[in-house]
């Protein structure tokens, strides 16, 4: 079922429910109102009958011949019927229109009200709405009802208690209710159909931009980097959805471009040493050579193969998704102790005399890190600083601590990074113009690997640079709780992830 049909069905069902509840409530109110009107008419009939009675101290008399009473002369269905009876006695009188019909002249209520005694009792029986009132002489006299006429006593026509009964047929009321029901049903049906047509048209118009967006999305070629969804111009959620989807397309195309560029650069970087190795093998095989030349060729092949292995493993590390990586096991590391140990590993490097350590040993700087990955980050940044600064210029390694973060920084006094190169320095195989122009070697994988390793540890790497004034790489991690004792002596990392490992003392 389409979205238009689902929305239309939901709102039409809700409208039908509302119309049904409204119609039922209106019919119930109308029935209650019409029934109250019937009861008022019945009460008026009983009042007229009560007024026609003669009340004397000796008893109540019914003398309709002395007082003209027009109630009950009309035989129409709307006219009231009445009857007067004595308790446990014969019927005293009844209206003309109640004779020969089905009016229940002998009906009495099941129970009389406790008070007031003359209260009227209403009840519905098949075909009639009835009302009864019981009159007692003592209560009539107590209310001050006494006729002034001096009639002779007539024990035969005097009663101490009378029951007045009146009835009306509910058929006119039912006919009015039926007519109201038909009118409400017709109006509700017309309103429902009108809303169905108008609502469906409105839903179609409201969801038309969604259909256009779906058609436009299907028509965008997979290789079209400039293909985007058209903006509906509605300034609502649909336009926000379009903007978000186009942003997703931008990120996907940017990621695809990076992957293509990564694959192209990787193939170029791998093709060059392979071609060199093949050429070297071809040259060696052309003629017999002394054993020394074979050993030299094998050393060159070993060197290039090692470099290729490091590059391949670096590429595999960069290409690995975060979801595929195993959870990194961390441990507390005090950077104030850890940095001097790392510098000790670089003590035989050609630039060892240029290293400057700014470590405050009296202030522990704890971070949760994986020692091997942390060492690889440090080596890559320090090797990068050695590569892009002149011998004799200082390279400063400092530890910094804030309220929520702790880390270290590596700063050199090299040429800096050009503004146009700064956004791309963490892209694989990218090399700044200063590196290309200065003839410095490298593959452009050190910084991307360092940044990804820092991210896997929950940290970050930022860069601060100014042309001609050097570059400062800042590594930050979430501050950790103090560890117990001194940080363990860290083993040097494996060289497979580094673009260029520092020389070891044995070398």
């Amino acid at each position: 079922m389409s979205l238009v049909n689902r929305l239309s069905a939901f709102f039409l069902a809700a409208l039908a429910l509302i119309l049904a509840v409204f119609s039922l409530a209106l019919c119930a109110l109308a029935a209650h109102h019409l029934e109250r009107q019937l009861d008022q008419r019945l009460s008026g009939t009983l009042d007229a009958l009560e007024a026609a009675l003669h009340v004397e101290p000796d008893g109540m008399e019914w003398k309709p011949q002395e007082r003209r009473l027009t109630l009950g002369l009309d035989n129409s269905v709307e006219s009231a019927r009445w009857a007067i009876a004595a308790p446990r006695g014969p019927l005293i009188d009844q209206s003309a229109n109640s004779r020969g019909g089905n009016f229940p002249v002998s009906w009495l209520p099941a129970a009389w009200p406790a008070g007031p005694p003359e209260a009227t009792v209403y009840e519905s029986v098949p075909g009639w709405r009835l009302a009864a009132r019981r009159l007692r002489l003592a209560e009539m006299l107590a209310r001050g009802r006494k006729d002034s006429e001096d009639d002779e006593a007539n024990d035969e026509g005097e009663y101490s208690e009378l029951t007045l009964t009146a009835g009306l047929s509910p058929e006119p009321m039912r006919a009015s209710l039926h007519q109201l029901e038909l009118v409400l049903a017709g109006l509700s049906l017309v309103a429902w159909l009108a809303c169905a047509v108008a609502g469906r048209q409105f839903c179609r118009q409201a969801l038309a931009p969604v259909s256009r967006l779906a058609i436009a999305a299907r028509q965008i070629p997979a290789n079209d980097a400039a293909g985007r969804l058209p903006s509906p111009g509605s300034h609502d959620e649909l336009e926000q959805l379009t903007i978000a989807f186009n942003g997703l397309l931008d990120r996907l195309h940017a990621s695809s471009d990076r992957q293509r560029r990564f694959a192209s650069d990787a193939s170029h970087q791998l093709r060059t040493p392979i071609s060199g190795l093949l050429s070297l093998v071809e040259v060696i095989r052309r003629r017999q050579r002394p054993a020394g030349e074979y050993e030299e060729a094998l050393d060159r092949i070993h060197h290039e193969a090692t470099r290729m292995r490091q590059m391949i493993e670096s590429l595999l590390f960069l290409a690995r998704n975060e979801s595929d990586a195993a959870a990194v096991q961390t441990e507390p590391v005090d950077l104030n102790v850890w940095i001097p140990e790392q510098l000790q590993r670089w003590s035989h490097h050609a630039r060892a005399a240029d290293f400057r350590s700014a470590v405050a040993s009296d202030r522990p700087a704890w971070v949760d890190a994986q020692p091997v990955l942390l060492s690889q980050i440090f080596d890559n940044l320090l090797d990068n600083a050695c590569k892009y600064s002149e011998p004799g210029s200082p390279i400063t390694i400092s530890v910094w601590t804030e309220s929520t973060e702790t880390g270290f920084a590596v700063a050199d006094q090299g040429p800096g990074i050009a503004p146009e190169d700064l956004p791309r320095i963490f892209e694989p195989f990218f090399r700044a113009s200063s590196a290309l122009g200065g003839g410095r070697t490298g593959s452009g994988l050190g910084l991307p690997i360092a940044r990804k390793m820092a991210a896997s540890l929950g940290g970050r790497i930022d860069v601060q640079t100014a042309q001609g004034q050097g570059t400062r790489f800042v590594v930050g991690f979430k501050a950790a709780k103090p560890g117990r004792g001194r940080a363990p002596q860290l083993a040097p990392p494996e060289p497979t992830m580094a673009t260029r490992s520092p020389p070891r003392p044995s070398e």
Side-chain angles (χ1 to χ4, degrees):
M1 183 183 290
S2 65
L3 183 59
V4 173
N5 292 335
R6 290 200 300 270
L7 287 176
S8 300
F10 173 77
F11 286 111
L12 289 177
L15 178 61
L17 180 62
I18 292 173
L19 291 175
V21 172
F22 173 77
S23 299
L24 292 175
L26 187 59
C27 288
L29 290 175
H32 179 70
H33 175 71
L34 292 176
E35 190 173 273
R36 286 187 60 187
Q37 286 187 334
L38 285 180
D39 292 345
Q40 289 175 359
R41 289 183 59 190
L42 291 174
S43 179
T45 301
L46 295 178
D47 290 340
L49 293 175
E50 182 180 347
L53 290 173
H54 291 275
V55 181
E56 298 294 337
D58 296 333
M60 294 179 290
E61 297 179 346
W62 174 251
K63 298 179 178 181
Q65 66 277 7
E66 297 182 3
R67 296 184 183 182
R68 182 173 178 79
L69 190 64
T70 60
L71 291 175
L73 298 179
D74 189 0
N75 285 324
S76 63
V77 69
E78 292 89 358
S79 297
R81 273 74 170 164
W82 56 268
I84 301 176
R88 297 175 301 277
L91 180 66
I92 297 175
D93 198 1
Q94 67 182 111
S95 62
N97 54 9
S98 66
R99 295 183 176 91
N102 59 351
F103 179 69
V105 293
S106 59
W107 171 82
L108 289 175
W112 293 101
E118 69 277 6
T120 304
V121 179
Y122 300 94
E123 188 174 326
S124 294
V125 299
W128 295 96
R129 177 67 176 173
L130 300 176
R133 183 180 300 173
R134 183 173 59 176
L135 301 179
R136 294 177 178 177
L137 178 61
E139 294 159 357
M140 297 288 285
L141 294 176
R143 286 190 299 158
R145 173 73 188 274
K146 178 180 181 302
D147 294 334
S148 60
E149 300 178 2
D150 294 331
D151 295 334
E152 296 180 358
N154 185 5
D155 297 336
E156 195 172 315
E158 295 177 352
Y159 303 94
S160 61
E161 182 177 336
L162 290 175
T163 301
L164 309 182
T165 304
L168 281 169
S169 174
E171 292 302 322
M173 180 190 73
R174 293 174 181 172
S176 300
L177 285 177
H178 182 65
Q179 185 177 5
L180 177 63
E181 291 170 356
L182 292 178
V183 171
L184 287 176
L187 291 177
S188 299
L189 181 60
V190 171
W192 188 86
L193 291 175
C195 290
V197 175
R200 186 172 180 83
Q201 185 65 24
F202 175 78
C203 288
R204 286 183 180 274
Q205 293 179 356
L207 296 176
V210 178
S211 301
R212 290 195 293 268
L213 291 177
I215 294 173
R218 285 193 294 266
Q219 292 177 347
I220 296 177
N223 57 353
D224 185 6
R228 297 293 183 273
L229 295 181
S231 175
S234 54
H235 304 290
D236 56 8
E237 290 80 0
L238 288 178
E239 186 169 3
Q240 296 178 9
L241 175 63
T242 303
I243 295 174
F245 191 83
N246 288 335
L248 174 62
L249 290 179
D250 292 336
R251 294 191 296 272
L252 288 177
H253 286 302
S255 176
S256 179
D257 290 340
R258 286 195 300 269
Q259 290 180 358
R260 285 195 297 267
R261 194 163 55 246
F262 180 84
S264 176
D265 293 340
S267 62
H268 173 74
Q269 293 289 338
L270 293 175
R271 189 181 298 113
T272 300
I274 291 176
S275 299
L277 288 176
L278 293 176
S279 299
L280 178 60
V281 172
E282 291 295 333
V283 171
I284 293 298
R285 294 180 59 186
R286 286 179 183 175
R287 61 181 177 85
Q288 293 290 330
R289 299 176 182 274
E293 292 187 11
Y294 284 114
E295 292 182 359
E296 182 181 354
L298 290 176
D299 289 340
R300 291 177 59 187
I301 293 173
H302 180 268
H303 175 75
E304 291 297 326
T306 302
R307 190 165 71 91
M308 287 178 57
R309 186 190 68 176
Q310 294 176 353
M311 186 179 300
I312 291 172
E313 294 191 2
S314 298
L315 293 175
L316 292 176
F317 178 81
L318 290 175
R320 184 174 57 180
N321 293 328
E322 285 77 3
S323 59
D324 298 332
V328 178
Q329 299 296 327
T330 61
E331 61 184 62
V333 176
D334 183 3
L335 295 180
N336 287 331
V337 177
W338 182 82
I339 291 294
E341 293 176 350
Q342 297 301 308
L343 291 177
Q344 183 65 31
R345 296 174 46 243
W346 286 71
S347 60
H348 295 276
H349 192 271
R351 297 284 305 275
D354 298 334
F355 298 154
R356 304 288 187 270
S357 176
V359 176
S361 58
D362 57 337
R363 295 184 56 191
W366 294 97
V367 296
D368 280 330
Q370 210 281 337
V372 174
L373 293 182
L374 193 62
S375 296
Q376 191 67 61
I377 295 171
F378 179 83
D379 289 346
N380 286 9
L381 295 180
L382 194 58
D383 181 70
N384 195 73
C386 294
K387 188 184 302 181
Y388 292 100
S389 63
E390 297 296 330
S393 61
I395 298 175
T396 304
I397 301 95
S398 58
V399 176
W400 56 273
T401 301
E402 293 181 356
S403 58
T404 59
E405 278 191 317
T406 301
F408 65 91
V410 179
D412 61 63
Q413 295 186 3
I417 303 173
E420 62 273 12
D421 295 336
L422 190 59
R424 300 185 57 190
I425 60 172
F426 291 104
E427 294 182 7
F429 299 111
F430 176 77
R431 303 193 66 200
S433 55
S434 58
L436 297 175
R440 296 177 174 87
T441 60
S443 60
L445 295 176
L447 290 180
I449 290 176
R451 189 176 206 182
K452 188 165 186 178
M453 287 181 175
S456 67
L457 296 175
R460 60 180 176 85
I461 297 181
D462 297 330
V463 58
Q464 302 167 358
T465 184
Q467 284 191 289
Q469 300 181 15
T471 304
R472 184 172 183 261
F473 287 94
V474 180
V475 183
F477 299 96
K478 185 177 179 180
K481 295 181 180 179
R484 295 182 180 178
R486 183 178 178 276
Q489 180 72 25
L490 302 177
E494 295 294 331
T496 55
M497 290 295 180
T499 56
R500 181 182 176 185
S501 299
R504 300 186 180 168
S506 59
E507 297 176 351

